[in-house]
């Protein structure tokens, strides 16, 4: 019988006679008994009637509010291929071969959570996007990512998250991908993932491991981190000695801005943080300590140049 | 290809109300086991049910319970993951004999306090399983279902929790009441 569930089975009276003898002989029986007898007298108060009533008020208010949640905004069925061929072929194609692409595009200044058909939880911050083939997802779990996305993959089995120029093969459960024009970064929070980027050696990440792929570097740069979930779940993006180009990429994703960094040294390291919902303050927090001037061009506040 | 509408839907107020009455204490406790903060737990418990209401269309009735646990866990992570945790419980004394022997009561109270501290020091995943079993009286199968683990995984966590508590108690030599 398994030693690593011994006490759990003891609690359920599922031990064999020999196991019971052993436990009593070791003296552990009495201690376990004392612990359980004590904790069995413990109580927590029931949730109050007032709480139960107040949920009614909350949901009434929600019923009256207009729906302003961000919901999947783009869904199309891909079946326009066989246009020039006979109608019959198009019909056959339509019924058997079409994909059913689901796409969710998140907006800047926003954090959203969606669930995939296998209960995998996906969180997106800022201008990020996820796409997958709804029809075939059960057979082959593949998603396409853009921006800054965290995934908590449910259920064992193959799961591939691809991004521009690379992919993450999930061997475990929780990881984050940040990917933009020149920077791709993957952090593994739980389980194990393998990161493959075109033309560069693969990386295997365990919890606490990350790898950053920067433009012009021939291989991924590994790093480690402490947090157990993306720091931006709490609204702040935090950087510890990260190359400035990575910080700039995060700003671009989270605020949907275009930052022209040609005049500065993007390899400089930055330690600090910024929030996802306050652009002026964030620019201040990143660039002022680095002694970099920033100018917001135009009236749309979308283009920023650095000096 | 679409599934027919379910007969009873979480979006129906009577159904939702029943789910709320049946599970709010457990969900509140679940967060408390993780955080040791009763006020936070009450707040996040409310938020979890609000989220269930907001997503009622996409949650099947059978899935509502595990959805609530998942949402509660996520809300907890969003708020205070690394604060120091200390849990306290009200103990229901089965007899009043202890009031006649102040020494017994003192040792008993000391044991309770040390146990509370030891439980608070357990890794979160062991702590929550132990308390859900002892305080909420959930079976290993129930826990496996709502936490999305195998029964074996729940048993392992339970065993580790008890092993850790036993070691702590042995260390302190305080179980001999």
């Amino acid at each position: 019988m398994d030693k690593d569930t011994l006490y759990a089975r003891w609690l359920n009276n599922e031990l064999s006679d020999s196991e019971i003898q052993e436990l009593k002989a070791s003296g552990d029986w009495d201690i376990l008994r004392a612990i359980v007898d004590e904790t069995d007298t413990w109580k927590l108060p029931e949730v109050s009637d007032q709480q139960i009533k107040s949920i009614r008020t909350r949901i009434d208010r929600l019923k009256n509010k207009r729906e302003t949640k961000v919901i999947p905004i783009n869904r199309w069925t891909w079946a326009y291929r066989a246009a020039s061929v006979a109608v019959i072929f198009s019909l056959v194609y339509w019924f058997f071969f079409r994909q059913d692409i689901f796409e969710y595009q998140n907006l800047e200044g926003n954090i959203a959570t969606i669930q995939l058909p296998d209960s995998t939880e996906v969180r997106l911050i800022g201008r990020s996007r996820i796409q997958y083939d709804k029809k075939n997802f059960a057979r082959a779990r593949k998603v396409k990512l853009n921006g800054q996305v965290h995934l908590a993959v449910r259920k064992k089995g193959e799961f591939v998250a691809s991004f521009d120029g690379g992919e993450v093969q999930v061997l475990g459960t929780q990881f984050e991908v940040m990917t933009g024009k020149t920077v791709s970064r993957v952090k593994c929070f739980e389980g194990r993932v393998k990161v493959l980027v075109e033309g560069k050696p693969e990386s295997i990440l365990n919890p606490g491991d990350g790898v950053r792929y920067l433009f012009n570097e021939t291989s991924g740069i590994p790093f480690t981190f402490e947090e157990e979930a993306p720091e931006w779940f709490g609204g702040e993006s935090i950087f510890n000695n990260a190359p400035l180009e990575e910080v700039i990429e995060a700003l671009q994703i989270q605020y949907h801005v275009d930052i022209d960094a040609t005049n500065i040294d993007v390899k400089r390291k930055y330690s600090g943080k910024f929030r996802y919902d306050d652009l002026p303050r964030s620019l201040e927090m990143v660039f002022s300590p680095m002694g970099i001037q920033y100018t917001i061009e135009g009236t749309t506040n979308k283009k920023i140049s650095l000096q | 290809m679409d599934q027919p509408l379910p007969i009873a839907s979480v979006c129906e107020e009577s159904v939702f109300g029943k789910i709320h009455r049946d599970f709010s204490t457990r969900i509140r406790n679940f967060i408390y086991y993780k955080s040791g903060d009763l006020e936070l737990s009450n707040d996040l418990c409310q938020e979890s049910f609000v989220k269930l209401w907001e997503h009622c269309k996409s949650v099947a009735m059978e899935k509502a319970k595990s959805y609530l646990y998942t949402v509660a866990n996520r809300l907890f992570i969003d708020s205070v993951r690394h604060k120091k945790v200390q849990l306290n419980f009200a103990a229901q004394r089965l007899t009043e004999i202890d009031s006649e022997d102040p020494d017994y009561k003192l040792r008993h109270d000391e044991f309770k306090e040390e146990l509370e501290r030891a439980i608070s020091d357990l890794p979160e995943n062991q702590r929550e399983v132990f308390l859900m079993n002892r305080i909420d009286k959930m079976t290993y199968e129930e826990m496996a279902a709502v936490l999305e683990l195998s029964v074996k995984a729940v048993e392992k966590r339970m065993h580790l929790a008890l092993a850790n508590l036993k070691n702590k108690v042995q260390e302190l030599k305080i179980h001999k009441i």
Side-chain angles (χ1 to χ4, degrees), chain A residues 106 111-114 121-125 128 148-152 176 232-234, chain B residues 74-75 77-78:
Chain A
N106 196 38
I111 294 180
T113 311
I114 66 167
E121 264 199 14
V122 181
R123 287 232 211 175
L124 309 95
I125 183 171
S128 305
Q148 194 162 7
V149 183
H150 172 269
L151 295 90
E176 178 213 67
W232 50 264
F233 282 13
Chain B
R74 201 201 320 140
L75 287 172
I77 292 172
D78 285 354

Side-chain angles (χ1 to χ4, degrees), chain B residues 106-125:
Chain B
L106 195 65
R107 273 179 284 133
H108 195 155
D109 283 348
E110 191 187 55
F111 182 44
K112 172 173 179 280
E113 263 177 50
E114 293 295 348
L115 210 50
E116 281 173 339
R117 207 166 305 154
I119 290 173
S120 303
D121 284 343
L122 286 175
E124 189 183 300
N125 62 350

